Amino acid sequence: MRYTVDERHERIVELVREHGSLRLADLAHHLGISAVTARRDVETLAASGRLDRVRGAVHWPGTPAPQGRPPQPIPETRGPAAPEPEAPVIGMVVPQSQHYFGEIIRGAREAVAAAGGRLILGYSGYRPDQDAAQVDRMLEAGVHGLLLTPSWPSGTGGAGDAGDTGDASGAGAAGSTEDAGGTGATTGADADFAVPAVLVERRGEVGTRVAGLDHVCTDHAGGAGLAVRHLVDLGHRKIVLIAGESPTAVQVRRGYETALRTCGVSGPPIEPIALYGGDIDTARLDAAAEQLAALVEKDGVTAALVLSDIDAILLLQSLRARAARIGVPEDLALVAYDDDVAALSDLPLTAVAPPKYEIGATAAELLLQRVRERAAGTTAGARRHVDLLPELRVRASCGAAAAQDVATDAAQAVSQDVSSPAR
């Protein structure tokens, strides 16, 4: 059976009282704990005066140490307790630790720590060869499971992402091929890595081998849909998307286009304004601001969805410098996709907030479940594809906050009129 620390201490005291003297090795074997844990427990009990400890053994206080013979082993009235399960070590490979992934890492780390385990990190820098190298390193280190965010441009592991093979992480155990696992495994499940694996913010495209892996993702298409629906409800019909190249952008664009159709927005489509992929490009930002100003003034665009919130703040600054005549939100409603710093803008930005911490924690908990299933030799449950919906946080940049303030003031005025005594 498994004991709590206090229960284990009491059981040790009980056994030593009964037998007088015991070897630490026998005590550890009988309780099904490691020698290190037994030694630590005995040191704690000895420090509190409940037991006496000598080299390799423990005695009941006042009991003379055996002379010429070692303490007798504990008679086994039943089979020894099952050994303590090994603390899980989870490997996590992500493109980087800042910006988007910082909160995901924190969620995963805290979930693993709550299970008594340890999380180790590897960074790919969006380089497929480093995806493979980091997975190899972690498997060699003996991790029990893998949390993976492969460097797939589309985010789905489909055609063009990993040699058209649907490889998880571009990361075969050998690291020498784009084929999943590179180990001869033919399933799309954790056998490709010899340990359970869960995709984080990536999903396997239908028909690829990695479609059989568990995944935990933000529903970015749904998040974009929340933003579009909000803007349409405010009366906007000409809404432009501004985004760079990234796996998130692929999903955001799909949700943006679907939501426009679902909301009944007709008319010719507005070509999205392209930003950059990777590091901030101020020249590209300035060009995007000029394109946006032209769309507002010549084509009647009244709203924009910008990926990400940092880019939305920089774009707003550039727009003010180049087209101060365009007011936000008076002439242009602005919604950011991501909410790391959106609230810190001098004009607080309405933002779509992906549930990053929950993504990391949920993925880690799912992986720990798979690790426990494997350790127990039980059949794994059905594979899980988990999508978490972002939250829309309404602030001043879309104009809704001001409208709400006006409505609140009007309601308060009506309330005061109703409650005032008749004159």
Side-chain angles (χ1 to χ4, degrees):
M1 64 174 290
R2 292 292 305 276
Y3 298 95
T4 66
V5 173
D6 290 339
E7 289 171 343
R8 196 170 64 234
H9 286 179
E10 292 305 316
R11 181 61 178 149
I12 291 172
V13 170
E14 178 184 336
L15 288 168
V16 177
R17 181 192 298 115
E18 178 181 351
H19 297 281
S21 297
L22 291 172
R23 294 187 308 170
L24 289 180
D26 292 333
L27 194 61
H29 174 74
H30 184 81
L31 295 176
I33 60 179
S34 68
V36 173
T37 299
R39 182 171 64 251
R40 186 170 59 242
D41 288 346
V42 167
E43 287 173 349
T44 299
L45 292 166
S48 64
R50 301 184 69 185
L51 298 175
D52 290 337
R53 178 176 181 265
V54 296
R55 186 177 183 85
V58 58
H59 307 299
W60 187 252
T63 299
Q67 299 296 319
R69 59 181 176 84
Q72 295 300 303
I74 303 171
E76 294 289 350
T77 58
R78 60 183 184 277
E84 283 186 328
E86 189 176 0
V89 178
I90 301 300
M92 186 174 196
V93 180
V94 292
Q96 39 106 335
S97 63
Q98 299 175 334
H99 306 305
Y100 192 90
F101 287 95
E103 277 296 286
I104 292 176
I105 293 169
R106 186 171 73 88
R109 183 184 69 236
E110 293 184 1
V112 172
R118 174 174 170 247
L119 183 74
I120 60 176
L121 284 175
Y123 302 116
S124 70
Y126 293 98
R127 292 170 51 192
D129 63 319
Q130 280 303 305
D131 285 330
Q134 294 306 317
V135 168
D136 288 345
R137 179 177 66 83
M138 291 182 177
L139 291 174
E140 290 171 1
V143 298
H144 299 98
L146 290 165
L147 296 170
L148 300 174
T149 305
S151 303
W152 294 338
S154 76
T156 64
D161 274 341
D164 296 347
T165 64
D167 154 40
S169 233
S176 60
T177 173
E178 291 292 334
D179 183 44
T183 61
T186 58
T187 69
D190 55 36
D192 289 338
F193 300 102
V195 297
V198 174
L199 296 175
V200 182
E201 292 291 33
R202 299 290 187 268
R203 66 192 77 222
E205 186 171 328
V206 174
T208 62
R209 292 167 61 186
V210 290
L213 286 173
D214 293 308
H215 77 231
V216 179
C217 298
T218 299
D219 182 2
H220 291 305
L226 291 176
V228 170
R229 166 55 69 183
H230 178 68
L231 290 168
V232 169
D233 286 346
L234 292 175
H236 299 282
R237 294 298 180 269
K238 291 194 173 183
I239 305 167
V240 65
L241 174 65
I242 304 173
E245 297 178 359
S246 71
T248 300
V250 173
Q251 302 300 317
V252 168
R253 180 166 182 171
R254 180 168 61 85
Y256 158 81
E257 292 173 347
T258 300
L260 287 175
R261 290 193 300 270
T262 302
C263 292
V265 176
S266 58
I270 301 170
E271 184 65 26
I273 296 175
L275 285 177
Y276 38 79
D279 295 336
I280 293 171
D281 182 336
T282 54
R284 193 70 200 86
L285 265 169
D286 292 343
E290 291 174 357
Q291 285 180 266
L292 179 58
L295 286 173
V296 172
E297 295 180 330
K298 297 178 182 178
D299 297 307
V301 165
T302 61
L305 173 60
V306 185
L307 176 68
S308 64
D309 59 338
I310 294 175
D311 290 331
I313 291 175
L314 293 171
L315 187 68
L316 177 59
Q317 293 172 181
S318 182
L319 185 65
R320 286 168 170 168
R322 282 161 177 73
R325 59 196 175 279
I326 297 176
V328 177
E330 297 82 7
D331 303 305
L332 177 71
L334 202 59
V335 177
Y337 196 97
D338 208 356
D339 194 28
D340 285 336
V341 294
L344 303 181
S345 173
D346 63 332
L347 175 68
L349 302 181
T350 292
V352 177
K356 300 173 188 176
Y357 180 91
E358 289 83 356
I359 289 289
T362 302
E365 289 163 359
L366 176 55
L367 180 58
L368 289 166
Q369 175 187 330
R370 300 304 188 204
V371 169
R372 288 191 294 268
E373 290 170 346
R374 172 167 290 200
T378 58
T379 302
R383 296 291 170 178
R384 296 178 62 193
H385 289 176
V386 181
D387 286 342
L388 303 184
L389 188 66
E391 175 188 356
L392 179 67
R393 296 172 180 168
V394 178
R395 302 188 181 101
S397 67
C398 64
Q404 290 168 356
D405 290 342
V406 170
T408 300
D409 291 343
Q412 291 174 345
V414 170
S415 175
Q416 290 170 359
D417 287 343
V418 171
S419 61
S420 296
R423 289 185 175 88

